[in-house]
Structures are given as structure tokens and as C-alpha cells.
Amino acid sequence: MNFMASTQPENRLLGPQSDSQRTLYPYVTGTSVVALKYKDGILMAADMGGSYGSTLRYKSVERMKPIGKHSLLGASGEISDFQEILRYLDELILYDNMWDDGNSLGPKEVHNYLTRVMYNRRNKFNPLWNSLVLGGVKNGQKYLGMVNMIGVNFEDNHVATGFGNHLARPILRQEWHENLSFEDGVRLLEKCMRVLLYRDRSAVNKLQIAKITEEGVTISQPYSLKTYWEFSAFKNPTQGAVGSW
Amino acid sequence: MSKSAIEMPPKGGFSFDLCKRNEMLAQKGVNPPSFRKTGTTIVGLIFQDGVILGADTRATEGPIVCDKNCEKIHYMAPNIYCCGAGTAADTEAVTDMVSSQLQLHRYHTGRESRVVTALTLLKRHLFNYQGYVSAALVLGGVDVTGPHLHTIYPHGSTDTLPFATMGSGSLAAMAVFESKYREGLTRDEGIELVTEAICSGIFNDLGSGSNVDICVITKYMPQGGKEYLRNHLQPNPRTYTSSKGYSFPKKTEVLLTKITPLKEKVEIIEGGDAMEE
């Protein structure tokens, strides 16, 4: 980037012609990602839906990908921007491997890189329209962080993006504790994903759960959650109030 | 003062005459004052013997908490209570109005009020005002036909549900309900679940806070079917209060107190009649 060449007036960025040069709104989006730290590492869950506005267009979108040896990235928001981020990270990991020095980028480093990328793009009014969850384990240290499209980033024991912030966070705050076992962690994640399935209109009942430990990354096969619709009050809600709905 | 050419008798409903002028003012930068809202968590659930309603107690005016311990569970009838979220004035006024209409109706018919009556009166009023009466309500009660729980939205639509949440903290509370509700809860389990849902709203939503109010309505309880547990749980007590209390240091010592009346004269009014009544 040479700064001398950009002599265009500033308002060009906000004029009608330049709108084709920057992201204004997302098109194909993924909904929430929920993740938590457990005894051996990080557990992350995301469903496989890619919505095109209010249509459910793609039903097999993998929104979680392993990065390098030590990290797992989950994304919600614009899918094309997620694919672009994967390419950036690919290049980053490649250059890191080319050093061939026995060192490899851990989750903290990848998270920092992503934060810089997201914040810089936001400053140019051309954001990558995503909320990213980055989790990993390196040398026994577990790390779980989040970055969103305006560059807000933080690290915590449990994170959620999008609707998960409102629906899953309260459950996680109440029920998460240190040293969850794998089964408890999965059960807690499934509880959150089930509430999201009931109450988020862009959620689909096909999800994957990913686990990252010191040994490596495992992303499960897609499966669906059991839902319960047999409340007698749902079957005939207006039984006592005939005429209302 | 110029009057309109034809004097129309006032019709019912909202008068939209000033809307254009308000928009023009807003464009020029003169904004109307903000409302006192009850950014809120309100919930209701049906358990095996009746209905339990719950609410937090924080009232906000924009970013400021203006009332730390307000009452959001309003009385409608001896067997019907209503929680209100949205603009505080709207919820109070609308529930008071329907409550008095219900009482007149009870005198007229000689029977206990039904929840659907309150529901219909509320939704007719709210629809009439096309959403400008910003009251989102959770109405619950027990009548001869059984326990009922309804939600009413500001535009006048209603839902009949086994468990319901409204307000800014509704998602946090709904997360608790969706994961833990089941049919046939006992009274204590129901109260615990409602408390948990309200606490979830209190601790995860900025618009809700302070204490938890609960109202249990059943057919069988000794106090005529209802139990109003005001401040059932107080998870946000004041910390760091001084045990000694406050003592203000005496800056100026009082040496002498002397009262001198300014006027000595006392006027006597003669011939005044004692007031009758």
C-alpha cells in the first residue's frame, strides 16, 4: 500500500460510486457459535445453516475450521468473509511453517492477528462482517477468545456470538464451572444449542460439535438435537379461552 | 387563534394531528423527552395448581435507574394479576383502567372475573391505539375455567402459553424456561424456576435489576387464592453500609436559643357563626 497514491478526497469513500468497493450489508450469513473451556481443552458448537436473508439457502456450511496445529476457528456472519479470513490464515500458517524453526503459532497469536485484521478493515469502513470465536490449546494452556466485525475482542471461559449472546450466555454463566468433563461440556453446549434452535429463527437442526485438545482437533459429524413439542398447553392452547389465539 | 372551519365532535382513538409537526421538530433537533420505561424482565408460568407471575423491580429513565424497587405486578381482580413492561405510565394506566372495568363488570354480573375478559378488554384498548400505548403485558389468573396465562403486545396481539417472558430481559429468562420447564411443576418448583428466570434477567440484562417479585395465584390457598410475595428475593443488597451509621460533625456550636415573636397582636373576630357540618 503506498500512501502517496491515495490522494482521492475523503468523501469518495462515502459516495454512491464507492459503495461497490466496500461491504454494506451481509448476504449469506451463519447464525450463532457457542464455545466453552473444559477440562482438556475447548468445545465449540455451531449449526450448519447459511441463510440468504430470510431463506435457508445452504444447509451444509461448515462454520468451524482448524487453524494450524493448535487452534480452532468458528465464525458467524457473512460466509464469504469467513472464507476470505481462512485464506488469510492459510497464508499466515504457511509462512510460519516455512520458518521451520520448531515453533508454531498458538491460539493467542492467531487471535491477535485476527483482531488486527478486523480492526484495520473496520477503520477503512470496509469490514469483514463476522463474529469469530478462536479457541485452542498450546503447551497445556487453554485459550478461548472472540473478535467481532468492529474489532472488539476479549478472552473468556465461555463465549457466544449473535443470538447466543442473549440466549446461551445466561445459561453458561449459571452452569459453567472449572474442569467440566467432556460429557458435561457437550451436554451444556447441546442445552444452549437447543434453546437457540427453539428461539432463533435462523437456526437449523443440524449441528457440529468440535473439540480441541493438546492432541489436536476433532470436528464431529453433523447430527440433530431432539426437541420436545408435546406440552399439552401447546397442543390446544386456547382450550380455556375459546375465541382467542 | 384560528378555529377550524367545521367543529367535528371528538372521535375515539388516537389523534394523529400533531405527528407531522413532531417529525418536523425532531428533524430540527428538538427531541421529545424520553419516557420512564420499565426495561424489564417479566415472566409467567402455569404449574399444576395455577399460575405464577414474576417480575424484577428496576425502572429506568434512559441510562439512569430512577426507581430501584418499583412494583411491576399489577392487581386486576382478586384472581387475576398482570405484569407490565414498556412505558411505566402506559402499563399502570391501562391495568388500572381495565381493573376498574372488571370490577364494574363483576357488580353487573355477580360473578368472579374471567381472565379472557381482562384479555379482551386490554387487547381492544391497545389495538385501538395502534401500538402507541407502549405496554407489553403478561396476564395470568385462575377462574372457573382453570388457570390461564397470556401475553399481550403493544399492538394488540395476544398469545396463550404455558410459559411466557416479556421485556428487555425476556431472552435471558426464556433461555432458563426453555431449558428447565416441564409440565406438572409443584408450587415450590414453580417459584424456584420463576426466581431463576428473573435472576437470569437481572444479572444478564442491563435494563433489569434489583429484587424479584413473585405472585402465586391458585384456587385452593387460604388467602382467597393468591399470594403476593413482594421482594421474594433480594440478590442485590447494598454493600459497604457503615454499621455505625452516619454522624455529621458539628461545625457550629449552639450557645443560646431565644425566640422573639415578630408580632404580639392577636386579632379576635367576633360574631362568627360556627360552621355547620
Side-chain angles (χ1 to χ4, degrees):
Chain A
M1 287 275 295
N2 43 350
F3 297 94
M4 295 302 279
S6 26
T7 47
Q8 294 96 340
E10 283 150 87
N11 52 9
R12 174 146 180 216
L13 194 60
L14 298 169
Q17 216 180 20
S18 64
D19 283 356
S20 60
Q21 314 277 352
R22 60 198 188 94
T23 309
L24 289 173
Y25 11 76
Y27 286 95
V28 182
T29 53
T31 180
S32 359
V33 176
V34 190
L36 47 79
K37 279 187 192 168
Y38 78 110
K39 186 164 51 108
D40 304 323
I42 311 286
L43 277 171
M44 197 184 292
D47 68 22
M48 300 190 75
S51 317
Y52 185 61
S54 44
T55 324
L56 179 58
R57 179 77 177 80
Y58 302 103
K59 291 195 260 190
S60 298
V61 180
E62 283 208 22
R63 297 195 288 117
M64 296 185 292
K65 294 284 185 188
I67 309 290
K69 282 198 290 228
H70 304 285
S71 323
L72 176 66
L73 175 68
S76 72
E78 173 64 61
I79 301 291
S80 61
D81 283 343
F82 175 51
Q83 291 168 343
E84 188 71 5
I85 289 172
L86 289 177
R87 279 198 19 227
Y88 287 154
L89 288 175
D90 227 7
E91 196 182 334
L92 180 77
I93 300 288
L94 181 70
Y95 277 109
D96 183 53
N97 286 339
M98 291 203 311
W99 284 106
D100 201 16
D101 55 3
N103 237 329
S104 49
L105 287 173
K108 212 173 279 200
E109 289 85 56
V110 177
H111 186 226
N112 190 31
Y113 174 79
L114 285 172
T115 310
R116 293 293 100 224
V117 168
M118 302 296 270
Y119 186 65
N120 266 297
R121 289 289 296 255
R122 164 257 193 191
N123 282 340
K124 291 189 248 175
F125 278 91
N126 185 12
L128 289 160
W129 207 286
N130 292 110
S131 289
L132 306 167
V133 175
L134 201 301
V137 192
K138 187 176 172 194
N139 298 335
Q141 291 274 26
K142 298 181 283 227
Y143 185 87
L144 180 61
M146 200 186 100
V147 199
N148 73 358
M149 72 187 228
I150 51 176
V152 175
N153 74 310
F154 54 89
E155 198 229 317
D156 206 349
N157 292 321
H158 46 79
V159 296
T161 65
F163 244 96
N165 265 316
H166 298 109
L167 289 169
R169 267 310 193 61
I171 302 178
L172 290 169
R173 278 184 180 162
Q174 212 177 28
E175 304 197 8
W176 184 89
H177 57 86
E178 285 278 355
N179 294 323
L180 279 167
S181 70
F182 176 71
E183 291 80 24
D184 283 342
V186 171
R187 203 175 303 135
L188 187 53
L189 275 183
E190 283 189 346
K191 200 177 200 179
C192 296
M193 295 305 283
R194 189 171 292 119
V195 177
L196 283 167
L197 177 62
Y198 285 137
R199 294 280 162 178
D200 178 5
R201 85 164 185 173
S202 31
V204 286
N205 197 3
K206 184 175 172 190
L207 68 140
Q208 289 177 306
I209 296 207
K211 163 180 88 148
I212 180 164
T213 60
E214 195 72 55
E215 282 87 52
V217 177
T218 329
I219 304 184
S220 73
Q221 285 299 312
Y223 68 103
S224 42
L225 293 169
K226 282 213 211 27
T227 55
Y228 182 71
W229 299 92
E230 305 302 316
F231 288 126
S232 62
F234 283 155
K235 286 195 186 161
N236 195 1
T238 57
Q239 195 176 31
V242 177
S244 89
W245 62 90
Chain B
M1 264 202 329
S2 56
K3 290 199 177 165
S4 53
I6 306 165
E7 281 287 335
M8 300 283 282
K11 291 195 207 146
F14 192 74
S15 161
F16 290 88
D17 296 339
L18 289 172
C19 286
K20 228 178 171 179
R21 163 251 192 201
N22 288 341
E23 256 179 62
M24 186 268 296
L25 282 175
Q27 266 182 0
K28 303 214 165 147
V30 179
N31 288 315
S34 74
F35 308 113
R36 174 169 173 267
K37 303 196 105 201
T38 54
T40 288
T41 311
I42 48 175
V43 305
L45 76 68
I46 296 196
F47 71 111
Q48 69 190 30
D49 301 324
V51 178
I52 305 180
L53 298 173
D56 74 306
T57 60
R58 174 182 283 186
T60 52
E61 224 167 57
I64 304 170
V65 176
C66 60
D67 191 344
K68 291 186 282 191
N69 207 359
C70 70
E71 284 189 27
K72 298 187 191 179
I73 306 186
H74 308 286
Y75 168 88
M76 298 285 264
N79 58 327
I80 307 175
Y81 274 77
C82 185
C83 307
T87 307
D90 286 338
T91 58
E92 292 267 354
V94 112
T95 49
D96 272 353
M97 185 192 81
V98 172
S99 169
S100 68
Q101 284 179 350
L102 283 177
Q103 188 160 39
L104 288 171
H105 192 249
R106 275 202 295 285
Y107 289 142
H108 197 71
T109 58
R111 292 182 169 88
E112 190 185 59
S113 298
R114 298 196 187 186
V115 183
V116 279
T117 319
L119 179 72
T120 313
L121 289 169
L122 284 165
K123 76 152 89 158
R124 288 237 181 100
H125 182 83
L126 291 174
F127 181 74
N128 214 6
Y129 284 80
Q130 288 292 298
Y132 281 93
V133 176
S134 171
L137 309 166
V138 170
L139 175 73
V142 179
D143 55 31
V144 285
T145 50
H148 299 281
L149 180 68
H150 303 280
T151 53
I152 308 165
Y153 289 85
H155 284 266
S157 66
T158 59
D159 287 309
T160 314
L161 297 165
F163 55 93
T165 66
M166 295 281 260
S168 56
S170 62
L171 285 103
M174 187 52 88
V176 172
F177 272 171
E178 281 285 14
S179 46
K180 296 195 175 155
Y181 179 80
R182 37 169 239 282
E183 301 205 282
L185 289 164
T186 64
R187 179 183 171 278
D188 292 324
E189 288 172 341
I191 292 184
E192 207 192 298
L193 187 56
V194 167
T195 315
E196 230 185 289
I198 301 285
C199 281
S200 174
I202 287 175
F203 292 118
N204 293 304
D205 173 45
L206 297 175
S208 315
S210 302
N211 313 314
V212 181
D213 282 351
I214 306 259
C215 184
V216 185
I217 312 171
T218 59
K219 281 184 282 190
Y220 310 121
M221 298 220 54
Q223 298 107 316
K226 65 176 186 294
E227 218 179 309
Y228 188 78
L229 304 166
R230 168 83 174 141
N231 287 355
H232 172 72
L233 188 69
Q234 294 181 311
N236 291 307
R238 280 184 78 179
T239 43
Y240 314 125
T241 47
S242 159
S243 50
K244 290 180 290 190
Y246 291 106
S247 62
F248 296 98
K250 290 185 182 153
K251 288 268 158 65
T252 315
E253 270 192 48
V254 177
L255 296 173
L256 167 68
T257 309
K258 182 179 175 210
I259 301 172
T260 313
L262 292 173
K263 252 191 175 180
E264 290 278 3
K265 270 195 188 171
V266 175
E267 286 187 32
I268 302 168
I269 305 166
E270 286 189 34
D273 292 342
M275 287 225 290
E276 295 181 310
E277 270 187 39

